[in-house]
Amino acid sequence: MIRVLIAEDQGMVRGALAALLDIERDIEVVGAAGNGRDALQLATSLRPDVILTDIEMPEMTGLELAAAVKAAATGARIVILTTFARPGYLRRALEAGASGYMLKDSPSGQLADAIRRVHAGGRSIDADLAAEAWSEDDPLTDRERQVLRLAGEGKSGPDIAGELHLSEGTVRNYLSEAINKVGGRNRVDAARIARAKGWL
């Protein structure tokens, strides 16, 4: 049996994925989490073979989860299941250690096949999206990405500084660099551009 952990913040989608996978003779859903942090805890305690995760989740994104699982050396392989057909997301997912990247509008039969392929040591990635992922480099550093993501959520400079344990001047510098790199008019526009390209 292939032991699968599901990380999805939308309860109905999480339940539907579990029901869909439970139909398969060789796949067992061993756990489900509504956010990335809980998924990481379950990954270390349940030791699943494959983690099926969304990208946008509270507390820890699917990309951060993939990197944390890789760093923790749990042996679990990651399949990202998302609505975002953005090359920047795919590229970051692969860099974080994901072995699969599927879109939620893919035919449902492909999900179990992707899990089997990834469990066997292969990859399951849309070929067109993969080719597009290397057409444009992500110009942001990890810290610029963190600061811009928080600014895009409407947080003030002092709030960002407090959350990331930085000085307000350092936050201003990171925001200025990020805005210039993505070609935004201001922090909100820069966050919108970066999100559209999959860099956030």
Side-chain angles (χ1 to χ4, degrees), residues 22-84:
D22 278 340
I23 295 170
E24 302 295 326
R25 296 181 324 273
D26 59 339
I27 295 175
E28 175 188 11
V29 176
V30 296
N35 65 62
R37 192 154 320 282
D38 290 348
L40 181 58
Q41 290 174 349
L42 288 174
T44 56
S45 65
L46 297 175
R47 307 298 258 189
D49 300 310
V50 176
I51 299 172
L52 180 64
T53 182
D54 191 9
I55 287 182
E56 293 293 330
M57 292 186 296
E59 299 188 39
M60 179 184 278
T61 69
L63 299 176
E64 292 166 339
L65 173 62
V69 166
K70 181 179 177 183
T74 66
R77 301 189 41 98
I78 303 286
V79 175
I80 303 283
L81 181 64
T82 184
T83 57
F84 300 112

Side-chain angles (χ1 to χ4, degrees), residues 98-115:
S99 300
Y101 193 98
M102 293 190 61
L103 299 177
K104 287 182 178 175
D105 65 355
S106 299
S108 61
Q110 291 181 3
L111 180 58
D113 291 341
I115 288 170

Side-chain angles (χ1 to χ4, degrees), residues 152-182:
E153 292 172 2
K155 295 199 175 176
S156 69
D159 290 341
I160 295 169
E163 187 167 330
L164 298 179
H165 308 291
L166 299 171
S167 72
E168 290 181 39
T170 300
V171 167
R172 282 191 299 273
N173 290 340
Y174 281 128
L175 278 174
S176 177
E177 284 296 314
I179 290 166
N180 287 333
K181 285 180 177 181
V182 303

Side-chain angles (χ1 to χ4, degrees), residues 9-28:
D9 62 323
Q10 296 178 357
M12 187 178 294
V13 175
R14 190 170 57 246
L17 289 170
L20 180 66
L21 292 174
D22 278 340
I23 295 170
E24 302 295 326
R25 296 181 324 273
D26 59 339
I27 295 175
E28 175 188 11

Side-chain angles (χ1 to χ4, degrees), residues 64 142-166 171 175 187-188 191 195 200:
E64 292 166 339
D142 287 339
R143 187 58 91 177
E144 288 165 348
R145 185 176 300 108
Q146 288 176 320
V147 169
L148 190 57
R149 180 182 299 122
L150 293 172
E153 292 172 2
K155 295 199 175 176
S156 69
D159 290 341
I160 295 169
E163 187 167 330
L164 298 179
H165 308 291
L166 299 171
V171 167
L175 278 174
R187 61 179 20 196
V188 174
R195 191 171 307 283
L200 287 185

